[in-house]
Amino acid sequence: MKEFYGSRLQSQMMLGTAQYPSPAILVSCFEKSKASVATVSLRRESGNLESGNSFWSIIKNLDVKILPNTAGCYTVKEAVTTAHMARDIFDTKWIKLEVIGEEDTLQPDVFGLVEAAKILSEEGFEVFPYTTEDLVVADKLLNSGCKVLMPWGSPIGSGQGLNNIFGLKALRSHFPDIPMIIDAGIGLPSHATKAMELGFDAVLLNTAIAKAGDPVIMAEAFSHAIISGALGRTADPMEPRDMANPSTPIFGKAFL
Amino acid sequence: MNIIVNGENRNIINVNLTFALDELGYKKMKLATALNGEFVSVQARDNINLKEGDKLEVLSPQQGG
């Protein structure tokens, strides 16, 4: 398994912490999914509710690495300032960098993303950029100091799976040594399996588990799905054929 | 003195940011702060004095995807 900024993870599953029916179900989903990384955010604190302290007391006991995000940021300044605040509060150099460009699809503003990634990388952050499958953008992100890429499968929360298999294959082939995580759009365990079969190094998801009818069973399903896809890739699958080829030997067949 | 905290008008007595956060009910909480759009680290808060009309953002760890 590839390392992410020098960290070797216990699993190839990264899991978001939003939208669960209850804190107890969130904890159970992390246990069943065997996720090695939890994504978190920063939001306004009212003080009297101490919601941040309550949430943090749950997360810090999960025994996972913390990946703060800049979700909801539409400008470079917002994203960079949020990253600074995240480093201050979570005491980590890791940042899942989101610079959103369009609110219907939540697709990244790749121009702002590259600019913010450069600023943060130069400041010592270890940037996980939420990007598209675009090769040129990927190249610019790597030149900006990113050592990990996080291409989307499809729009955040859409559950559409991998919308551009050709583009993702091309990205994987073009940068074979770069750790890559499929982030966003995963809806089914089979989507995660496909991502791993394509050679990606991890999958990050949230809504597919949190909004499932039974999130805990779905968490376990995703755990198996990711392991299956990774093992399938490692096992060097056969090439598809256009025509049938008998699996039972012809030699020795009776003449009847 | 009136300042804006997370988009709401608040009246405070303490000028120093660290003490103002305590006064606003954030004592001993895990927080990140920004003043007028600029990040202020935990260590820097002791040296920051607030002014009338300042805009303070006070954030805490929350759910995220």
Side-chain angles (χ1 to χ4, degrees), chain B:
Chain B
M1 179 172 66
N2 291 305
I3 63 171
I4 299 168
V5 181
N6 289 346
E8 293 184 0
N9 289 311
R10 301 290 297 267
N11 185 268
I12 56 170
I13 297 167
N14 289 286
V15 172
N16 177 270
L17 179 54
T18 299
F19 292 135
L21 287 169
D22 289 352
E23 181 186 341
L24 289 162
Y26 295 116
K27 195 166 189 174
K28 292 184 179 174
M29 291 181 63
K30 193 173 180 65
L31 302 171
T33 50
L35 185 61
N36 300 321
E38 301 298 327
F39 165 62
V40 179
S41 69
V42 174
Q43 292 84 357
R45 287 179 201 156
D46 284 350
N47 300 318
I48 297 283
N49 286 334
L50 299 168
K51 301 186 302 294
E52 181 79 20
D54 272 349
K55 293 178 180 172
L56 179 63
E57 290 289 326
V58 184
L59 308 186
S60 65
Q62 300 289 341
Q63 304 173 5

Side-chain angles (χ1 to χ4, degrees), chain A residues 231-252:
Chain A
L231 287 174
R233 170 80 176 188
T234 302
D236 190 14
M238 62 170 279
E239 287 295 321
R241 302 184 182 109
D242 289 333
M243 302 300 287
N245 191 39
S247 51
T248 302
I250 299 296
F251 180 77

Side-chain angles (χ1 to χ4, degrees), chain A residues 30-238:
Chain A
F30 270 85
E31 289 171 357
K32 287 294 185 183
S33 71
K34 299 183 173 62
S36 54
V37 172
T39 52
V40 295
S41 72
L42 287 174
R43 288 293 181 265
R44 284 173 165 176
E45 171 64 53
S46 65
N48 49 3
L49 295 176
E50 295 197 18
S51 59
N53 276 7
S54 303
F55 174 72
W56 183 243
S57 67
I58 296 166
I59 300 302
K60 71 183 181 186
N61 289 324
L62 291 177
D63 192 26
V64 293
K65 282 190 75 76
I66 301 299
L67 178 58
N69 68 29
T70 64
C73 292
Y74 280 75
T75 67
V76 172
K77 183 175 188 306
E78 269 186 302
V80 169
T81 302
T82 302
H84 288 152
M85 297 172 89
R87 182 166 62 178
D88 200 40
I89 203 166
F90 295 112
D91 194 27
T92 176
K93 291 188 279 188
W94 281 18
I95 189 74
K96 180 188 167 191
L97 181 61
E98 297 182 33
V99 183
I100 301 298
E102 206 281 322
E103 64 181 13
D104 286 333
T105 60
L106 297 178
Q107 65 190 91
D109 167 5
V110 294
F111 305 100
L113 181 68
V114 170
E115 187 181 340
K118 187 169 193 304
I119 293 168
L120 293 171
S121 295
E122 287 174 353
E123 292 180 354
F125 281 87
E126 294 173 343
V127 178
F128 292 66
Y130 164 63
T131 184
T132 67
E133 67 277 13
D134 190 295
L135 284 181
V136 179
V137 174
D139 193 46
K140 290 185 184 302
L141 286 167
L142 295 172
N143 287 332
S144 298
C146 298
K147 293 181 170 55
V148 170
L149 295 173
M150 297 183 85
W152 65 349
S154 52
I156 294 170
S158 70
Q160 294 290 318
L162 309 182
N163 268 359
N164 182 358
I165 297 285
F166 172 81
L168 289 170
K169 275 185 177 176
L171 183 67
R172 180 68 285 178
S173 301
H174 205 76
F175 302 105
D177 300 325
I178 301 298
M180 287 191 206
I181 304 152
I182 293 290
D183 174 26
I186 298 294
L188 292 169
S190 57
H191 298 156
T193 302
K194 183 67 179 176
M196 300 307 291
E197 286 172 348
L198 290 177
F200 288 91
D201 303 291
V203 173
L204 197 167
L205 68 150
N206 188 158
T207 311
I209 288 177
K211 302 303 279 186
D214 190 324
V216 180
I217 292 177
M218 190 61 87
E220 187 171 8
F222 267 101
S223 174
H224 293 303
I226 289 170
I227 292 168
S228 293
L231 287 174
R233 170 80 176 188
T234 302
D236 190 14
M238 62 170 279

